[in-house]
């Protein structure tokens, strides 16, 4: 297939300062929960986007100095040269596919807690920490500003040396530079505050200095907000932004334009649809001759073309669409629009950042797994056999398993008891604002049409007997979960309706099936994500009075991680939905709900006709257990493999279900090392690549030579001793030295060390023996003083070893000293078996 000529404009190259983007697909900076902590995972993931056709692939925000540390949100860093090496992993992978790599330099100011580095955060004045930490910033003086400029320049140089083609001045998102620009926040009275010109000064200086530092090799971009805030009914308040922009208009090589309100810019689909920034962009392209990129959760190529043709933007910026489908540009280029995996706007990707874990995506289960599991978003491992698979349940887990198994080449049958594909998806997508969730089903259903090896049957409830008769080689159960009517009190599931009471208690399943409360309703939310809010909204839309009650102190607590909690709360307030916070529902008798304060247990009674329990779910796993029962409870006795996954295994979010289905498909008939299911991306202090230190090599050689000398020394002393036991002891000690030298020899050869000739070492040893005292007790006493130190010396040598593979030889060396000391101890104690430790060592190489 070829691309539709209507989309040609998306594939036109564009110059950005000294570099040229091959097309208009621009992955704007977005964090991943990986940052400087997981560089290999990050590099593989960004490389995948370049492979998928993105013309520019940027990093996440890149801290320029330890005084801007956002952990537990994992940023990237450009603090020292080790960062160059880490970033180079990414730029090489991005360049390999002809894409440009961009680095966003970042200084957080009052948004950073510096919880890891413990540096004092700085901002333009003594500001409270805006991320909620009980710290304030130091007001930056002139020295601080000079330092900041130097750090920024150094970071830009490091970015260039790491191979980046675009370097950002990041002047938005309420971080330090946007505070300097702000007429409200910037109250400085020096040349960096006050007038517009003064407030723009620092950003101007940084743009100029970055251009000066790297402008010959890299394009310099500025991320900038087109408005100061969003007013009533979403009308932008531009403030002085137009003038500010005009002052800088042609200074950078690229403008990356966003807006002040993150909840619109990165809004969830429940509230914000495609291309929401367009109304804010009206003055941008008129005022600059430089290329412009902006965002808008673009997944439709028609919208993209329209934005470029109408002069809204030159490049199609994308964070989430590139996460949901790293191959989006390629699919447009190849005329495969039906293959695009459209972002659903759930912001689960962002929750990875909030939680400090690697990114995940509802639509793209391979996101974040490119390096550690080797998953490619478009390619599957080939099937291992001609086996057939029966997947039961067409919700997100079953759909993804079927699609991915089909792609592997297996013959797959998907069966569902329902009337349509999707399981929970069409039901939830019908709730207020949730329509885009249906894309999870639609993308997969669309793929089935292309696969002759996949068939699906609806309205086909199966019993365990049916499954046995079906004759598949593999059976996968993905039958979902149903909402419960009780609640969890921290220890057990408990009923809220007193025994004998007649009370209407509904669940989200009832409401989604169209059964609404018969009067004023209490929606009781223990789930804490979006369901409590959307169910409340659905009931309210039917004209029924609703109160949302939760044991949490905030509404939709988990939705804070996807950055939609504030919107949800504001929306519920606007709809007139009342809230009861930090209250547990302890009882409902049909007329009165009793709520207990989570802190004091104080109870209050409120009148309701109905309660909707948005609490927890029960896995729908009867079929799984029925099948197992037919085999006496032992899956190994079945004529097929039996697996359950998704909500029917452990109820969770949709992203967990698509991931579970995908993993099943990837791993079917593959050997999976359950002890090591994934690669571990963290600083590896092991042997690989670590060079032996000079001290280690010098010591190794010295000790080896001393063993050869020792062999001659002990033999020489033995010759001089008359008493047979004494003579034997020293002969054994000589053999112990020989044994040890042999054990160390491979290391001497490994590192190409050149010992003095053995004959010379023997001469030295013999000379020492000739001068040694021959009184036995004095000899043992002398050895008792010296030998314990030898043990410590060999242990130090072990610690200096560059890797674990040197340790066996070194441990033999340490053991020989331990054996010698044990011999000395026993000899001093007059033990009859004093030679045993030496003999043991000569047999085993251990002490
Ligand atoms: C997971 C995630 C992380 C983000 N991290 C950053 C960041 O590090 N720096 C930044 O300037 N913007 C960041 N953003 C905002 C995006 O660059 C972008 O402006 C926003 O997501 C809207 O674009 P989209 O609709 O294409 O997702 C992030 C967005 C997401 C979804
Ligand atoms: S997690 Fe959700 S919002 Fe993020 S990219 Fe995937 S589908 Fe889009």
């Amino acid at each position: 297939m070829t691309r539709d000529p209507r989309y040609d404009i998306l594939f036109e190259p564009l110059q950005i300062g000294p570099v040229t983007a091959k097309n208009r697909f621009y992955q704007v900076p977005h964090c991943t929960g990986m940052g400087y902590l997981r560089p290999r995972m990050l590099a593989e993931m960004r490389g995948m986007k370049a492979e998928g056709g993105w013309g520019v692939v940027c990093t996440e925000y890149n801290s320029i100095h330890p005084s801007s540390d956002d952990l537990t949100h994992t940023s990237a860093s450009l603090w020292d040269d080790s960062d160059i090496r880490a970033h180079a992993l990414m730029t090489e992978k991005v360049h390999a596919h002809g894409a440009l790599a961009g680095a966003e330099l970042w200084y957080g100011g009052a948004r950073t807690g510096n919880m890891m580095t413990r540096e004092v955060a700085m901002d333009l004045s003594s500001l409270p920490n805006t991320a909620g930490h009980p710290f304030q910033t130091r007001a930056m003086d002139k020295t601080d500003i000079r330092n900041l400029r130097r750090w920024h320049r150094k970071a830009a140089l490091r970015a260039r040396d790491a191979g980046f083609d675009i370097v950002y001045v990041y002047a938005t998102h309420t971080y330090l530079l946007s505070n300097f620009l702000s007429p409200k926040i910037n109250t400085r009275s020096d040349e960096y505050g006050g007038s517009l010109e003064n407030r723009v000064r620092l950003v101007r200086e940084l743009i100029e200095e970055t251009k000066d530092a790297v402008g010959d090799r890299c394009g310099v971009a500025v991320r900038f907000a087109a408005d100061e805030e969003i007013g009533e009914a979403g009308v932008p308040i531009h403030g002085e932004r137009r003038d500010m922009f005009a002052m800088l208009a042609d200074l950078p090589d690229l403008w990356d334009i966003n807006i002040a309100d993150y909840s619109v810019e990165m809004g969830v689909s429940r509230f914000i649809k495609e291309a929401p920034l367009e109304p804010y962009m009206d003055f941008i392209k008129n005022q600059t001759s430089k290329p412009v990129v902006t965002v808008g959760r673009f997944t439709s190529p028609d919208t993209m073309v329209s934005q470029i043709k109408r002069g809204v933007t030159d490049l199609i910026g994308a964070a989430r669409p590139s996460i949901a489908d790293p191959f989006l540009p390629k699919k447009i280029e190849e005329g495969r629009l039906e293959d695009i995996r459209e972002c659903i706007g759930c912001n689960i990707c962002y929750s990875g950042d909030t939680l400090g874990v690697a990114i995940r995506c509802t639509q793209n289960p391979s996101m974040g797994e490119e390096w550690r599991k080797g998953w490619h978003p478009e390619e599957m491992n080939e099937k291992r056999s001609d086996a057939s698979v029966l997947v039961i349940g067409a919700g997100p887990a079953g759909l993804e398993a079927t699609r991915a198994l089909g792609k592997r080449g297996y013959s797959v049958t998907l069966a569902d008891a329902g009337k349509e594909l999707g399981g929970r998806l069409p039901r939830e997508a019908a709730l207020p604002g949730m329509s885009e969730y249906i894309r999870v089903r639609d993308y997969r259903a669309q793929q089935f049409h292309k696969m002759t090896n996949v068939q699906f049957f609806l309205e086909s409830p199966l019993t365990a007997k049916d499954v046995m008769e079906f004759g598949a080689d593999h059976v996968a159960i993905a039958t979902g979960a149903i909402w419960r009517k009780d609640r969890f009190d921290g220890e057990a599931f408990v009923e809220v309706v007193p025994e004998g009471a007649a009370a209407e208690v509904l669940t989200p399943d009832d409401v989604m099936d169209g059964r609404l409360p018969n009067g004023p309703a209490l929606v009781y939310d223990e789930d804490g994500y979006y369901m409590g809010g959307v169910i409340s909204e659905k009931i309210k839309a039917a004209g029924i009075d609703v109160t949302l009650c939760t044991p949490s102190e905030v509404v939709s607590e988990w939705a804070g991680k996807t950055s939609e909690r504030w919107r949800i709360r504001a929306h519920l307030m606007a709809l007139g939905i009342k809230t009861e916070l930090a209250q547990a529902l302890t009882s409902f008798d049909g007329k009165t709900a009793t709520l207990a304060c989570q802190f004091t247990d104080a109870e209050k009674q409120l009148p309701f006709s109905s309660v909707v329990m948005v609490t927890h779910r029960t896995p729908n796993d009867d079929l799984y257990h029925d099948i197992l029962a037919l085999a006496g409870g032992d899956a190994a006795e079945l004529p097929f493999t039996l697996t359950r996954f998704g909500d029917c295994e452990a109820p969770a979010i949709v992203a967990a279900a698509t991931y579970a289905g995908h993993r099943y498909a990837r791993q079917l008939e593959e050997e999976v090392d359950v002890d090591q299911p994934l690669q571990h991306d963290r600083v590896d202090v092991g042997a690989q690549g670590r060079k032996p230190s000079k001290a280690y090599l010098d010591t190794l050689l010295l000790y080896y030579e001393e063993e050869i000398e020792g062999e001659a020394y002990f033999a020489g002393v033995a010759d001089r001793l008359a008493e047979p036991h004494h003579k034997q002891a020293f002969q054994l000690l000589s053999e112990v030295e020989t044994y040890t030298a042999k054990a160390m020899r491979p290391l001497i050869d490994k590192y190409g060390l050149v010992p003095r000739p053995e004959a010379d070492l023997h001469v030295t040893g013999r000379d020492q023996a000739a001068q040694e005292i021959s009184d036995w007790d004095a000899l043992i006493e002398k050895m008792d003083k010296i030998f314990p130190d030898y043990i410590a010396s060999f242990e130090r040598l072990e610690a200096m070893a560059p890797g674990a593979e040197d340790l066996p030889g070194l441990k033999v060396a340490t053991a020989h000293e331990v054996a010698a000391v044990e011999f000395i101890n026993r000899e001093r104690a007059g033990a009859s078996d004093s030679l045993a430790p030496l003999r043991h060592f000569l047999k085993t190489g251990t002490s």
Side-chain angles (χ1 to χ4, degrees), residues 9-14 23-26 308 314-316:
I9 197 169
L10 298 173
F11 295 90
E12 286 176 6
L14 188 72
N23 61 31
R24 305 304 176 94
F25 293 95
Y26 191 108
I308 294 178
D314 300 300
L315 293 142
I316 300 303

Side-chain angles (χ1 to χ4, degrees), residues 267-481:
V268 288
S269 61
R270 196 173 149 199
F271 305 113
I272 305 290
K273 304 299 174 194
E274 193 177 28
L277 269 57
E278 188 169 335
Y280 306 87
M281 296 292 293
D282 53 1
F283 66 89
I284 298 291
K285 284 277 298 153
N286 298 334
Q287 297 210 33
T288 179
S289 62
K290 299 301 168 103
V292 171
V293 57
T294 192
V295 288
R297 206 160 54 79
F298 298 114
T299 55
S300 148
D302 292 311
T303 311
M304 298 175 193
V305 167
S306 161
Q307 291 252 321
I308 294 178
K309 285 202 169 153
R310 286 183 297 110
V312 180
T313 186
D314 300 300
L315 293 142
I316 300 303
R320 291 166 296 172
S322 74
I323 295 167
D325 197 341
F327 278 65
L328 188 149
K330 220 167 210 170
K331 290 174 182 175
I332 298 176
E333 187 166 26
E334 291 170 1
R336 296 191 289 123
L337 302 194
E338 73 285 359
D339 289 346
I340 294 175
R341 209 166 31 236
E342 286 184 293
C343 167
I344 67 165
C346 61
N347 281 4
I348 285 298
C349 47
Y350 192 71
S351 72
D353 179 52
T354 340
L355 292 160
V357 297
I359 193 167
R360 62 208 59 207
C361 170
T362 303
Q363 275 285 56
N364 175 10
S366 69
M367 178 48 52
E369 307 296 350
E370 300 82 356
W371 181 82
R372 65 178 189 180
K373 291 216 177 84
W375 290 1
H376 188 287
E378 298 301 313
E379 291 165 16
M380 294 293 296
N381 39 334
E382 258 184 49
K383 66 175 183 177
R384 290 277 171 171
S385 73
D386 289 331
S388 61
V389 191
L390 172 64
V391 178
I392 303 162
L399 284 172
E400 175 58 16
T402 304
R403 183 203 68 82
L405 286 165
K407 182 120 185 155
R408 283 189 69 182
Y410 283 102
S411 161
V412 195
T413 303
L414 172 65
D416 195 282
K419 286 194 169 118
E420 59 178 328
L421 291 175
R424 66 187 276 190
L425 295 166
R427 291 155 64 76
E428 292 189 23
L431 292 168
M434 300 290 289
S435 60
E436 288 191 37
Y437 276 58
I438 205 62
R439 291 175 169 183
V440 175
R441 178 196 69 183
D442 290 351
Y443 160 71
R444 288 161 180 90
Q446 182 75 27
Q447 298 301 302
F448 295 167
H449 295 307
K450 295 184 166 190
M451 297 178 184
T452 51
N453 52 332
V454 167
Q455 51 178 350
F456 62 87
F457 298 94
L458 296 170
E459 297 183 90
S460 304
L462 297 181
T463 62
K465 200 163 147 276
D466 297 333
V467 173
M468 295 297 267
E469 282 167 7
F470 187 83
D473 300 302
H474 302 287
V475 173
I477 311 285
T479 38

